[in-house]
Amino acid sequence: INIPFDFFDDPRSGFAKKHFQQTGYRTYSMLSLPLLGEKGELVAVVELINKVKNNDKNEQLENRINKVGFTHADMKMFSKFSVLIGQIIESSNSFYQAAQKQRIADALIKAVLSVGQSLDLAETLKTVMDQASHLLQADRNALWLIDRDKSELWTKVYNAGVSTVLRIPMGAGYAGRVAKTGEILNIPLDVYEHPESGTSKQMDQKNGYRTCSLLCMPVF
């Protein structure tokens, strides 16, 4: 999309006009170009705003504006840059995916090694859960075990090195609900706005903690 001077005369300039009112920055011309990857898929969009006669930032913008706007020659010149930018983005994405796979592999290796290093079930499970939390960048975790005799779930909460056992009835709270339904529950910010957050709030008050988001999954 190439919109020459004056951009504000174009019917698509509504957002730019609001931006001008909020920030005081005026859009006079705009060139918007798609960036394609090696396979031809869209990877990004570039916007070039305000074609100017010179880059002297000390001079007022309205005095530097080129009233012709961006030309076909500008598009041709930038197309050379767009190929490079697309390649950089794709390389970055590939590196990120490889790093993610490596993080997952490292976490799983540490979890597997912990099984052979300790005969203490609670300690082993805590290590595995800590690795999962580290991988998902979770601040805290809990592994609720099923006590079928009492129709309850229980977990150990560690605070300053001291462990406390917490129990909830099957079906109560988020963990109890997942235990009953067997379905994944993912609640984004803010958990407290969820209609079933009562048990979570009570738990937080007891532990001096604030739950903001939650991912709860069944273990079969």
Side-chain angles (χ1 to χ4, degrees), residues 24-95:
Y25 186 81
R26 171 76 151 85
T27 301
Y28 294 92
S29 57
M30 186 194 77
L31 173 62
S32 188
L33 299 156
L35 293 185
L36 304 179
E38 288 184 2
K39 296 178 182 179
E41 74 281 12
L42 183 72
V43 295
V45 174
V46 167
E47 275 189 348
L48 301 175
I49 297 173
N50 288 336
K51 174 75 173 180
V52 293
K53 292 179 285 188
N54 63 72
N55 284 315
D56 184 0
K57 301 293 183 181
N58 295 319
E59 190 178 347
Q60 291 291 327
L61 175 62
E62 56 266 29
N63 296 329
R64 295 188 293 123
I65 289 297
N66 184 327
K67 292 188 177 181
V68 173
F70 294 97
T71 64
H72 183 72
D74 292 328
M75 285 191 280
K76 200 170 180 180
M77 186 183 297
F78 189 79
S79 65
K80 297 177 181 178
F81 284 93
S82 68
V83 173
L84 178 60
I85 294 171
Q87 289 174 348
I88 291 171
I89 292 172
E90 283 197 322
S91 297
S92 178
N93 286 339
S94 297
F95 177 79

Side-chain angles (χ1 to χ4, degrees), residues 3 9 16 22 27 37 40 64 73 94 96 113 131 140 147 198 205:
I3 304 175
D9 293 335
Q22 293 170 353
T27 301
R64 295 188 293 123
S94 297
Y96 175 77
L113 288 175
Q131 287 302 320
R140 285 194 179 185
D147 186 339
Q205 287 173 355

Side-chain angles (χ1 to χ4, degrees), residues 106-185:
D106 289 345
L108 289 174
I109 288 170
K110 288 178 182 177
V112 170
L113 288 175
S114 71
V115 175
Q117 290 172 349
S118 173
L119 296 176
D120 187 326
L121 176 62
E123 185 62 32
T124 300
L125 288 174
K126 183 179 182 303
T127 302
V128 174
M129 286 298 297
D130 287 345
Q131 287 302 320
S133 285
H134 178 70
L135 185 64
L136 297 178
Q137 294 179 305
D139 184 54
R140 285 194 179 185
N141 68 73
L143 178 65
W144 293 88
L145 298 174
I146 309 297
D147 186 339
R148 298 198 180 279
D149 293 336
K150 296 181 179 180
S151 293
E152 290 181 338
L153 288 82
W154 68 274
T155 189
K156 277 187 178 181
V157 175
Y158 295 86
N159 193 4
V162 179
S163 66
T164 305
V165 175
L166 299 178
R167 286 182 172 269
I168 59 172
M170 184 78 77
Y174 298 127
R177 173 179 161 184
V178 171
K180 199 168 185 179
T181 64
E183 296 176 354
I184 296 171
L185 183 63

